[in-house]
Amino acid sequence: MTLALAALIALLTGIVSPARADGLIQPLTASQADQVRQTFESFKSNPRGPFFRIRWFCNDGTDHPPSPPPCRDLGGGHQHASLSPETVKLAEWNIDVGTILAGKSFDSLFDARRDHWRLKQLVLEHYLEGIDRGWIYRRAYTYRGARQVEDEEQSGYRFLTQLLSDPAWVKRHYFLVTQLIGAMPHGLPDSVVKKVRNLAQSIAAQDPRFQPIRAKIHSAPGDEDLALVEQFLKEKAAGEATSEMLIELTTLLEQEKAGRGMSARLPAFRKQFAENPVSAYVEQFAVALQAGDPNTVFATGAELSFQIRGTVEASDNGRYNLELLDFNALVQEIAFQTSSKLTAATRRERLDNLMSHVRYAAGAGLLSMRQFNALRAEADTLRGREAVEPAAYYSALRYLGRTAEWCRATAAKDFGPVARHYQPAEPLAAALLDHLLRSSIALPLSTHLEVLSEDAHRAVGIRHSVFGAASGSGVSALNPGVAIGRLKIIRSPEEAAGSIDSTSIYVIPETVSDLKPMAGVLTLDSGNMLSHTQLLAANLGIPNARIPSTLMAQLTAHEGKEIFFAVTPRGVVVLREKAELTLEQQKVWIDQPAATARRIRLDTSRVDLSRTEIVKLGGLSREDSGVLVGPKAANLGQLAQDFPGRVAQGLVLPFGIYHQHIQRVLPGDSVSLAEQIKQAYAHAEQMRGHASQAEVDAFIYPRLAEFREKVRNMPFIAEFEQRLIRKLQEDFEWPDGSLGVFVRSDTNAEDLPEFTGAGLNLTVPNQVGTQQIIQAIKNVWASPFTERAYDWRSRFLIGSDQVYPSVILMRAVPADKSGVIATIDLETGDAADITVNVNEGVSAVVDGGVAESLLLKPGGEVRLLHQARSSYRKQCSLSGGFENLPAHGEDYLLTPDEIAQIRRLVDEVKQKYAPTRSASGEPLPWDIEFGFEKGDLRLFQIRPLVRYQQLQTLEALAKIEAEESTRPMTTVRLDEAP
């Protein structure tokens, strides 16, 4: 099977993780999920489903028995079912099933407080009903009067027209709008494409023999599907349970093949939009349909869909906008059906077809207008030329390859949280994103993109190899390295924080901020290149590559097997089974593993533990790093001096205070805590020479837990606690302790030339009150004793018992947006460029999520890498910690002035700061954490961005690269076939 075909079988499938602890909606507990699951099952067998009894609901707020009609004198009303007590209970856990539109006000349906959670649930419910024979309503459909169809359609129509009367809101939520059009009843039939997909899935669930046809319909739909279903129906025994559904499916496929939906409705639409700004585009599309040429139909439909979006986003006429969007849904269906019939002989024609797909994706809301313009500008660098250099062709197609993951990020932003919330109780919810993408233009778009992407890889001689098959689209290197180990797949953040085998290679579904050590990392889709996980992998030589979700089928097929994983310096990604290595490769990678990391001894020769006074942040400089404090505090102190007013007020507790704290002998102990730590670490180090890693872990993990507990609970020395409280009140000028403070970790074992330690220790955000700050300091001191921190450090450092934490206390900055700057292009290594990741709110980038990612080029060019797609933002709470609020959802986060401030900052840092150098003497770029408060730049951290370099490994990888590469082209001609 080729990877192109495999990509079709698993296109754009994203792992939907079980509910996370962070977000707008509190996740279900295990007990709640179990109760919800049982309740759903009871609804499926209950003739009333989630409903209780039929009542009259009058407009004065009263409800009455079903007869006689009581609402005539009470302002009118509606008759429908009330919700059962079990359904009401589910709503307390943000499971809002049984929604009756006629019984809801606009505001309750709009649900702004929960970021339109109820609307998103309606889309999920519509999907579940389609694939699971009615889902929890399968018997309630016959409960007469539970939902009055006419009332529901009228209420849906009223809601949608009011919703679509706010162009500013529609512009920010266009994809959600397009999904509501299909999910909310308002007088139009459902999408034929989605009906076909859902019906095929239901048939396959009851009859596994139908599974190959279902896979074909879901991944590579075409006119031939009708014949396949008809043949299957002929071969079935008479009267089988799925026969009726198969007959319905053939009828739908006939309708789809004949295009009857559009043919029947097009004359009415042409008349309806005669005076509309899109009328000319409707006419062009109508003429093309009548002529029947697929290429012309597809191109004119793309422009029509694109223009509909522009018209709707500029109009406050909700009724007219709804009519346009209904028409747009039909145009998108025609595009989905027509894409497989397109013809293209040359690269230029394929590129034109690809950009028509991109235009459709914008028309569907899968791409923002900002993303569309960026992609069009990139395509235009090729389309106006006869021939281009292979490197330029590859660069352009690599950028255009972002389209698929941008589409997925859009769907994940709106519907990922609701799918994750339902999944523990209803596993079918996991496939919602897959459904939304595969039934949209994203499916054929990805197929067309793959042909050009693989051509671009051939042009420059790059050939990724994934289990024996050449792969181009969506695979990209993040940092070089090599690993041999069992392939394992992490399907949730909870798994990432759990038991991790450091000798295995892991597929992670997203950037996980607290990942434990592992041999290699395969990140699905984009991830975050400035996350702590990616930084740790980059500087430790752990091979790390971005793999599209389209390859999940191949990865799953090899799960549990020993594999060889390499990422070369030039960016070639190789995945193969260990058994397939040649004898020569086995000598290099198994007998004498060049990838084994060299452990370095932690240098503590300069540490001064005698200094126990609390220091003002501005009183420190870079010379204090590794002496009094860690590099974070020292660099921040230097920043405070060099950039006055941009760094928040801060105090620092040097190493000596922590050392003084653990030198005491606790009640019941015979030696100090410091001595206990030394002895335990020394014994674990001795065990490494003869015991297995599991044996070492079994010894050290219980002791780490004991050390954490003691550090957290040991009282401060009384004189120090009094001094600390006095300094907080005096220096922060808040005698009542009511302002927020970030309590940040900083050790002598991070930001070393060979080891970054990014994210291994605790930062406790926005602590309000002296007692909360005191406890947070103890928690930060205890964080080097977490299993994860120990695992990373012991793998690469000798002398972990001499890790000393200092603590930074910084006034909280209520940033409107925050992020990370890398003074380098993280993909190419170009030091003239700047990579910026930023998101809304406080502490928003390194903890995961899709941030706005920009590449700032010399001369003022701003290149979009990713648009922010987070479903919420963090804001400092007055009572401490964070509160999560809906994201504003603007297309642009950083303003031109803010970008200019970042450029000036980077220039100043490069002028004022002598760079830290790697072990090989090369200057390291800077990693700068920042925020903007009302448009003014604030600085939170600066540290060297440590990048892995190990000559022996890189030389061996270069040999693999040469083996996998092909001869590059001399030039790429656009009017030739790919």
Side-chain angles (χ1 to χ4, degrees):
M1 180 186 296
T2 67
L3 282 182
L5 180 57
L8 293 176
I9 293 176
L11 185 87
L12 289 169
T13 303
I15 292 178
V16 180
S17 308
R20 301 181 234 188
D22 210 359
L24 292 175
I25 301 299
Q26 185 70 24
L28 299 174
T29 66
S31 174
Q32 289 170 346
D34 188 56
Q35 291 182 60
V36 174
R37 189 182 308 110
Q38 293 179 35
T39 303
F40 282 170
E41 288 304 314
S42 71
F43 286 166
K44 291 177 183 179
S45 59
N46 189 328
R48 298 188 179 189
F51 305 117
F52 183 41
R53 58 186 178 184
I54 307 298
R55 303 281 288 177
W56 272 100
F57 294 86
C58 302
N59 292 341
D60 69 344
T62 61
D63 66 276
H64 306 271
S67 60
C71 294
R72 183 175 304 168
D73 299 326
L74 300 175
H78 297 280
Q79 187 187 67
H80 55 76
S82 61
L83 300 179
S84 70
E86 294 85 356
T87 308
V88 174
K89 180 64 178 178
L90 294 184
E92 297 176 8
W93 300 333
N94 296 292
I95 302 285
D96 302 294
V97 295
T99 298
I100 297 174
L101 302 183
K104 293 292 179 184
S105 67
F106 178 87
D107 288 341
S108 65
L109 270 178
F110 189 66
D111 200 7
R113 180 183 60 84
R114 296 187 300 172
D115 195 30
H116 318 300
W117 186 253
R118 187 178 287 274
L119 297 180
K120 295 168 184 177
Q121 288 179 99
L122 290 177
V123 175
L124 174 60
E125 276 202 30
H126 187 70
Y127 164 67
L128 293 173
E129 286 183 69
I131 65 166
D132 192 29
R133 296 177 295 146
W135 192 46
I136 62 172
Y137 305 101
R138 62 179 58 160
R139 296 198 64 194
Y141 287 142
T142 59
Y143 184 29
R144 185 177 179 183
R147 286 169 166 163
Q148 304 284 354
V149 174
E150 296 81 3
D151 287 346
E152 291 299 281
E153 291 184 348
Q154 290 174 9
S155 297
Y157 183 86
R158 282 195 301 270
F159 176 82
L160 289 171
T161 54
Q162 184 172 345
L163 185 77
L164 297 173
S165 299
D166 182 352
W169 185 90
V170 170
K171 187 174 182 179
R172 290 195 301 272
H173 300 88
Y174 195 80
F175 181 69
L176 174 59
V177 164
T178 62
Q179 299 312 303
L180 284 174
I181 296 298
M184 185 173 284
H186 60 284
L188 283 178
D190 287 342
S191 158
V192 173
V193 169
K194 291 182 179 178
K195 275 186 176 180
V196 166
R197 286 174 45 81
N198 293 342
L199 197 53
Q201 186 164 341
S202 293
I203 294 169
Q206 294 186 53
D207 188 342
R209 294 173 299 173
F210 192 73
Q211 184 62 32
I213 300 177
R214 185 212 70 87
K216 167 71 170 62
I217 290 172
H218 276 226
S219 302
D223 288 346
E224 64 277 10
D225 297 341
L226 176 59
L228 292 173
V229 175
E230 287 176 335
Q231 182 62 33
F232 185 86
L233 183 59
K234 286 180 182 179
E235 295 172 358
K236 284 179 62 65
E240 287 193 34
T242 57
S243 297
E244 187 174 331
M245 288 192 289
L246 283 164
I247 293 170
E248 181 183 356
L249 180 58
T250 57
T251 301
L252 288 171
L253 288 170
E254 287 173 349
Q255 178 181 331
E256 189 177 37
K257 184 175 181 179
R260 292 175 192 163
M262 177 61 79
S263 300
R265 295 166 62 187
L266 186 59
F269 279 124
R270 292 174 75 173
K271 182 178 180 181
Q272 189 174 357
F273 301 129
E275 304 299 324
N276 191 279
V278 301
S279 60
Y281 302 100
V282 174
E283 282 301 310
Q284 292 171 9
F285 183 55
V287 171
L289 276 173
Q290 290 170 350
D293 175 54
N295 286 43
T296 307
V297 169
F298 197 78
T300 57
E303 187 60 39
L304 171 58
S305 182
F306 187 79
Q307 293 297 329
I308 286 174
R309 175 171 180 170
T311 301
V312 169
E313 289 185 345
S315 167
D316 61 1
N317 188 328
R319 179 187 63 80
Y320 216 47
N321 289 340
L322 180 55
E323 292 170 351
L324 281 171
L325 288 169
D326 283 334
F327 184 43
N328 187 50
L330 205 53
V331 174
Q332 290 278 337
E333 280 201 25
I334 293 294
F336 188 90
Q337 297 158 5
T338 307
S339 176
S340 61
K341 304 172 185 176
L342 297 178
T343 57
T346 67
R347 292 186 177 95
R348 190 184 311 280
E349 289 171 349
R350 285 189 175 275
L351 193 60
D352 288 342
N353 282 344
L354 175 64
M355 292 313 296
S356 287
H357 282 84
V358 168
R359 197 173 289 270
Y360 273 115
L366 285 163
L367 295 173
S368 71
M369 299 309 296
R370 180 187 190 185
Q371 290 170 329
F372 171 79
N373 288 329
L375 293 166
R376 179 173 58 182
E378 192 67 32
D380 286 347
T381 65
L382 301 178
R383 291 199 288 182
R385 303 169 64 180
E386 292 184 4
V388 294
E389 293 295 316
Y393 182 61
Y394 171 75
S395 176
L397 263 299
R398 185 174 183 179
Y399 189 84
L400 292 173
R402 297 177 181 275
T403 308
E405 65 186 68
W406 285 359
C407 288
R408 183 179 181 277
T410 298
K413 172 188 175 295
D414 279 337
F415 297 102
V418 72
R420 285 193 295 270
H421 189 67
Y422 271 68
Q423 187 180 346
E426 176 49 88
L428 291 175
L432 176 63
L433 296 188
D434 173 68
H435 165 74
L436 294 176
L437 291 164
R438 287 199 201 183
S439 60
S440 76
I441 199 67
L443 174 64
L445 186 158
S446 186
T447 306
H448 283 261
L449 178 61
E450 184 165 326
V451 174
L452 287 170
S453 294
E454 292 183 351
D455 183 51
H457 280 84
R458 286 192 297 270
V460 294
I462 289 179
R463 185 183 64 180
H464 301 304
S465 178
V466 180
F467 299 116
S471 175
S473 180
V475 177
S476 61
L478 293 177
N479 51 268
V482 66
I484 294 175
R486 294 199 181 279
L487 180 65
K488 298 183 179 180
I489 300 175
I490 292 176
R491 291 181 169 84
S492 75
E494 288 78 9
E495 288 183 47
S499 178
I500 296 294
D501 175 10
S502 63
T503 65
S504 294
I505 296 161
Y506 284 85
V507 179
I508 61 175
E510 57 190 289
T511 299
V512 181
S513 62
D514 58 353
L515 202 64
K516 291 186 176 183
M518 51 186 57
V521 181
L522 291 161
T523 306
L524 283 182
D525 301 310
S526 64
N528 178 352
M529 295 185 72
L530 282 173
S531 74
H532 290 144
T533 298
Q534 306 288 21
L535 294 179
L536 282 167
N539 83 267
L540 296 175
I542 297 173
N544 191 3
R546 179 187 300 128
I547 298 289
S549 330
T550 55
L551 297 183
M552 271 302 294
Q554 281 75 14
L555 297 171
T556 302
H558 289 82
E559 188 173 5
K561 297 180 180 178
E562 278 201 286
I563 67 166
F564 172 82
F565 171 34
V567 181
T568 73
R570 190 164 172 250
V572 175
V573 177
V574 179
L575 282 166
R576 64 178 63 146
E577 291 197 14
K578 176 184 173 182
E580 296 175 359
L581 291 176
T582 65
L583 289 176
E584 183 180 356
Q585 290 169 338
Q586 289 180 29
K587 289 179 181 179
V588 175
W589 302 114
I590 300 176
D591 301 338
Q592 297 176 336
T596 300
R598 178 178 63 89
R599 295 178 76 211
I600 60 173
R601 182 166 294 278
L602 181 61
D603 182 9
T604 58
S605 61
R606 298 172 61 242
V607 172
D608 183 355
L609 300 176
S610 65
R611 300 278 295 275
T612 58
E613 68 271 18
I614 300 171
V615 185
K616 283 189 176 183
L617 184 61
L620 296 170
S621 67
R622 294 182 69 185
E623 284 69 32
D624 295 308
S625 178
V627 180
L628 298 180
V629 297
K632 192 182 299 180
N635 286 328
L636 265 175
Q638 191 73 55
L639 274 180
Q641 293 180 30
D642 294 340
F643 300 94
R646 294 190 185 178
V647 179
Q649 288 176 288
L651 296 171
V652 181
L653 312 184
F655 300 144
I657 294 177
Y658 164 77
H659 184 254
Q660 189 179 54
H661 185 74
I662 65 170
Q663 284 299 315
R664 292 173 290 165
V665 179
L666 298 174
D669 290 342
S670 58
V671 296
S672 69
L673 178 57
E675 184 61 27
Q676 295 174 48
I677 294 168
K678 181 179 179 181
Q679 292 175 5
Y681 278 51
H683 186 70
E685 186 65 30
Q686 290 174 358
M687 291 180 67
R688 288 175 65 92
H690 59 83
S692 68
Q693 186 62 51
E695 291 172 320
V696 175
D697 292 347
F699 165 76
I700 196 66
Y701 283 178
R703 285 153 184 83
L704 293 174
E706 179 184 338
F707 299 154
R708 288 197 304 272
E709 196 65 20
K710 287 181 176 180
V711 173
R712 287 172 182 154
N713 294 324
M714 287 172 65
F716 279 165
I717 297 171
E719 185 275 332
F720 164 69
E721 182 169 333
Q722 294 167 7
R723 186 158 38 103
L724 172 65
I725 294 172
R726 186 167 60 250
K727 287 288 287 182
L728 287 169
Q729 292 172 340
E730 291 174 355
D731 287 61
F732 287 173
E733 299 173 354
W734 46 288
D736 60 350
S738 61
L739 296 181
V741 173
F742 274 59
V743 183
R744 309 186 68 180
S745 61
D746 187 27
T747 74
N748 61 320
E750 55 190 271
D751 297 343
L752 307 175
E754 305 91 345
F755 181 77
T756 178
L760 292 185
N761 301 311
L762 182 66
T763 288
V764 187
N766 196 38
Q767 295 301 287
V768 175
T770 52
Q771 291 308 309
Q772 285 75 15
I773 293 171
I774 286 171
Q775 187 57 55
I777 292 169
K778 296 177 187 178
N779 293 344
V780 167
W781 277 347
S783 64
F785 300 107
T786 63
E787 294 172 6
R788 175 173 175 266
Y790 174 84
D791 289 343
W792 279 105
R793 290 195 177 103
S794 64
R795 183 173 177 179
F796 297 98
L797 297 177
I798 301 172
S800 292
D801 60 305
Q802 298 182 71
V803 172
Y804 300 111
S806 56
V807 177
I808 308 166
L809 307 174
M810 293 186 72
R811 280 277 299 270
V813 175
D816 306 308
K817 56 197 81 167
S818 58
V820 186
I821 301 165
T823 60
I824 191 173
D825 182 336
L826 290 169
E827 291 191 353
T828 67
D830 191 336
D833 298 337
I834 304 166
T835 305
V836 182
N837 280 10
V838 63
N839 231 331
E840 295 182 46
V842 181
S843 185
V845 171
V846 296
D847 289 334
V850 180
E852 175 173 279
S853 185
L854 307 175
L855 188 66
L856 309 185
K857 306 283 289 184
E861 180 187 352
V862 178
R863 190 172 176 82
L864 176 67
L865 303 180
H866 293 283
Q867 185 170 314
R869 293 298 191 193
S870 295
S871 58
Y872 69 96
R873 58 188 167 92
K874 293 181 180 178
Q875 176 177 290
C876 287
S877 171
L878 295 177
S879 59
F882 293 135
E883 57 180 332
N884 295 336
L885 301 173
H888 292 114
E890 301 294 342
D891 278 2
Y892 292 80
L893 288 190
L894 290 178
T895 67
D897 178 67
E898 289 167 345
I899 291 172
Q901 290 185 59
I902 289 173
R903 288 185 183 274
R904 289 195 296 269
L905 169 69
V906 171
D907 288 342
E908 290 183 62
V909 166
K910 288 183 175 180
Q911 292 170 13
K912 295 178 179 180
Y913 278 56
T916 300
R917 295 188 176 272
S918 68
S920 60
E922 294 187 9
L924 297 173
W926 292 104
D927 164 12
I928 305 169
E929 291 187 22
F930 71 96
F932 280 99
E933 182 185 10
K934 298 179 180 178
D936 292 330
L937 183 62
R938 300 285 183 260
L939 303 177
F940 305 138
Q941 177 176 299
I942 183 170
R943 66 200 307 171
L945 183 62
V946 181
R947 307 290 288 184
Y948 171 78
Q949 292 196 4
Q950 189 175 334
L951 186 59
Q952 183 184 5
T953 300
L954 296 182
E955 288 176 349
L957 284 172
K959 189 172 182 179
I960 283 185
E961 185 174 272
E963 294 169 353
E964 294 295 340
S965 297
T966 59
R967 178 176 296 179
M969 300 178 185
T970 55
T971 188
V972 178
R973 299 195 174 278
L974 274 297
D975 291 317
E976 291 180 352

